[in-house]
Amino acid sequence: MRIDAARLAQSIEELGRIGATPRGGLTRLALTDDDRRGRDLMVRWMREAGLRVTIDQMGNIFGERAGTERVPPVMMGSHIDSVPTGGKYDGQLGVLCALETVRALNDHSVRTRHPVTVAIFTNEEGARFQPAMLASGVMAGKIALEDAYNARDKDGLRLVDELERIGYLGAEPCVPRPFRAYLELHIEQGPVLEEAGLQVGVVDGIVAIAWSRLTIRGVQDHAGPTPMRIRHDALVAAAEVVGGVRAIARELGGDLVTTVGNLTVQPNIPNAIPGTVTLSIDMRDPRTETLDAARARLDALVRAACEREGVRGELDHYWRVPYTPFAPDVVAAVERAAVASGARHRHILSGAGHDAQYMAAIGPAGMIFVPSRGGRSHCEEEFTAMDDIAHGATTLFLAAVDLAERV
Ligand SMILES: [Zn+2]
């Protein structure tokens, strides 16, 4: 039993045309007109495949293929929203491989004990409405529906109004629903599989993530008359922190990655000594204990840098998710399916957050990775070879049949 790779390639092509950019990428932000067109196409395809489609209060779309018994479904899914000038693979590949799994089940007239459901989650990217993974977060009970509804884009438009405008404000309650397993196929977004010449990653879990915000207050003054010896320059201290954050990863080693991605300088003009600087620190590691060690080093680094420059630093560790392990029986099913599909594969961790992270909080979840060329994603150059996609899709299909119990 195999999936139909040509049909899958055709669907990737067709859905990828909605919001396509001139350089082969995709701009399809959540709840825009293009998102609506993408959703409409998916719903049509889901109905054509015989699925019973329902929409919940967050605009999440579910398409169910009945099982022989009324037991919780095996759910497969991802998202179809993209970042601005993103790629055609992030998110939509997982949704289309899930749909292809259903089509292949139909081709082979496979009956399963558990229902099989295709799920499309709203606003995964967090590009238009923050935070990311908003709708799976509501479903998992981690984000209040009210807060999600009141999220606003940069033009002040509310999420709930945009949901209604595009016709995807559904009636089904967005609450934890039981499932036998949740499976998400996704591009790796890193270089590991490609560098090893592999086609499929059996994902064991999602790394722990810690976000901190640092505000440094120095003394704003004139860049000319103020002698160097009496300066308290917030940006000089910040620069030391930026270099030091990189050094934390180098010193602790292993898989730890650390990033300062956002920096604001006030007043940010050529002829004033910067008075206030804020910066973000993102640290990730498979082991929560390593993140604790990294945080202690960050505290010491900020103290030392601020002391040297005679400025005040306020460090706020405001967001943290522990390591999310996937369910051993689901990971094992993915492993068996990867072997059966003939894919060259290995076990791997996800360095990025996914809807599967929230789903893992309410039921047994697992993921399948396929390679990203050059490790690149969230850009128009994002690419995965069709042969790798076919192996990943076959792995998803076989894992779904396994978990849903063929009868
Ligand atoms: Zn994604």
Coordinates of all heavy atoms in Angstrom, one line a residue, residues 78-79 81 89-92 124-125 184-187 189 352-355 367 378, ligand 1:
S78 N -1.8 20.1 10.4 CA -0.8 21.1 10.5 C -1.5 22.4 10.2 O -2.7 22.5 10.6 CB 0.4 20.9 9.5 OG 1.5 21.6 9.9
H79 N -0.9 23.4 9.5 CA -1.5 24.7 9.3 C -1.3 25.1 7.8 O -0.4 24.5 7.1 CB -0.9 25.7 10.2 CG 0.6 25.9 10.0 ND1 1.2 26.8 9.1 CD2 1.7 25.2 10.4 CE1 2.5 26.7 9.1 NE2 2.8 25.7 9.9
D81 N -1.5 28.6 7.0 CA -1.1 30.0 7.0 C 0.4 30.0 6.8 O 1.1 29.0 7.1 CB -1.5 30.8 8.2 CG -0.9 30.3 9.5 OD1 -0.7 29.1 9.7 OD2 -0.5 31.1 10.4
Y89 N 6.1 25.0 1.7 CA 6.1 23.6 2.3 C 5.8 23.7 3.8 O 5.2 22.8 4.4 CB 7.6 23.1 2.2 CG 7.9 22.9 0.7 CD1 8.4 23.9 -0.1 CD2 7.6 21.7 0.1 CE1 8.7 23.8 -1.4 CE2 7.9 21.5 -1.3 CZ 8.4 22.6 -2.0 OH 8.7 22.4 -3.4
D90 N 6.2 24.8 4.5 CA 5.9 24.9 5.9 C 4.4 24.9 6.2 O 3.7 25.8 5.8 CB 6.6 26.2 6.4 CG 6.4 26.4 7.9 OD1 5.6 25.7 8.6 OD2 7.1 27.3 8.5
G91 N 4.0 23.9 6.9 CA 2.6 23.8 7.2 C 1.7 23.1 6.2 O 1.2 22.0 6.5
Q92 N 1.6 23.7 5.0 CA 0.7 23.1 4.0 C 1.1 21.7 3.6 O 0.2 20.8 3.3 CB 0.5 24.0 2.8 CG 1.5 24.0 1.8 CD 1.0 24.8 0.5 OE1 0.1 25.6 0.6 NE2 1.5 24.4 -0.6
E124 N -1.1 29.4 12.9 CA 0.1 28.8 13.6 C 1.3 29.7 13.6 O 2.0 29.7 14.5 CB 0.4 27.4 12.8 CG 1.4 26.6 13.6 CD 2.8 26.9 13.4 OE1 3.2 27.6 12.4 OE2 3.7 26.5 14.2
E125 N 1.5 30.4 12.5 CA 2.8 31.1 12.4 C 2.9 32.3 13.3 O 4.0 32.7 13.7 CB 2.9 31.6 10.9 CG 3.2 30.5 9.9 CD 4.5 29.8 10.0 OE1 5.3 30.2 11.0 OE2 4.8 29.0 9.2
E184 N 1.8 14.8 13.0 CA 2.1 16.0 12.1 C 3.3 15.8 11.3 O 4.4 15.6 11.9 CB 2.2 17.3 13.0 CG 2.4 18.6 12.2 CD 2.2 19.8 13.0 OE1 1.7 19.8 14.2 OE2 2.4 20.9 12.5
L185 N 3.2 15.8 10.0 CA 4.3 15.8 9.1 C 4.7 17.3 8.9 O 3.9 18.1 8.7 CB 4.0 15.1 7.8 CG 5.1 15.1 6.8 CD1 5.1 13.8 6.0 CD2 5.1 16.3 5.8
H186 N 6.0 17.6 8.9 CA 6.5 19.0 8.8 C 7.9 19.0 8.2 O 8.6 18.0 8.3 CB 6.5 19.7 10.2 CG 6.3 21.2 10.1 ND1 7.4 22.0 9.8 CD2 5.3 22.0 10.2 CE1 7.0 23.3 9.8 NE2 5.7 23.3 10.0
I187 N 8.2 20.1 7.5 CA 9.6 20.2 7.1 C 10.5 20.4 8.3 O 10.1 21.0 9.3 CB 9.8 21.4 6.1 CG1 9.3 22.7 6.7 CG2 9.1 21.0 4.8 CD1 9.6 23.9 5.8
Q189 N 13.2 22.3 8.8 CA 13.6 23.7 9.0 C 15.0 23.8 9.6 O 15.4 24.9 10.1 CB 12.6 24.4 9.9 CG 11.2 24.4 9.3 CD 10.1 25.1 10.2 OE1 9.6 24.5 11.1 NE2 9.8 26.3 9.9
A352 N 12.0 23.9 16.6 CA 10.9 25.0 16.5 C 9.6 24.5 17.1 O 9.4 23.3 17.2 CB 10.7 25.2 15.0
G353 N 8.8 25.4 17.5 CA 7.5 25.0 18.0 C 6.5 24.6 16.9 O 6.6 25.1 15.8
H354 N 5.6 23.8 17.2 CA 4.6 23.3 16.2 C 3.2 23.1 16.9 O 3.2 23.0 18.2 CB 5.0 22.0 15.5 CG 6.2 22.2 14.7 ND1 6.3 22.8 13.5 CD2 7.5 21.7 15.0 CE1 7.5 22.8 13.1 NE2 8.3 22.1 13.9
D355 N 2.1 23.0 16.2 CA 0.8 22.7 16.8 C 0.9 21.4 17.6 O 0.2 21.3 18.6 CB -0.2 22.6 15.7 CG -0.6 23.9 15.1 OD1 -0.8 24.9 15.8 OD2 -0.6 24.0 13.8
M367 N 5.6 13.5 15.6 CA 5.8 14.2 14.3 C 6.7 13.4 13.4 O 7.5 12.6 13.8 CB 6.5 15.6 14.6 CG 5.5 16.6 15.2 SD 6.3 18.2 15.3 CE 6.0 18.8 13.6
H378 N 10.9 29.5 6.1 CA 10.4 30.9 6.3 C 11.0 31.8 5.3 O 11.4 33.0 5.6 CB 10.6 31.4 7.7 CG 9.6 30.8 8.7 ND1 9.4 31.3 10.0 CD2 8.7 29.8 8.6 CE1 8.5 30.6 10.6 NE2 8.1 29.7 9.8
Ligands
ZN1 ZN 4.9 25.3 10.3

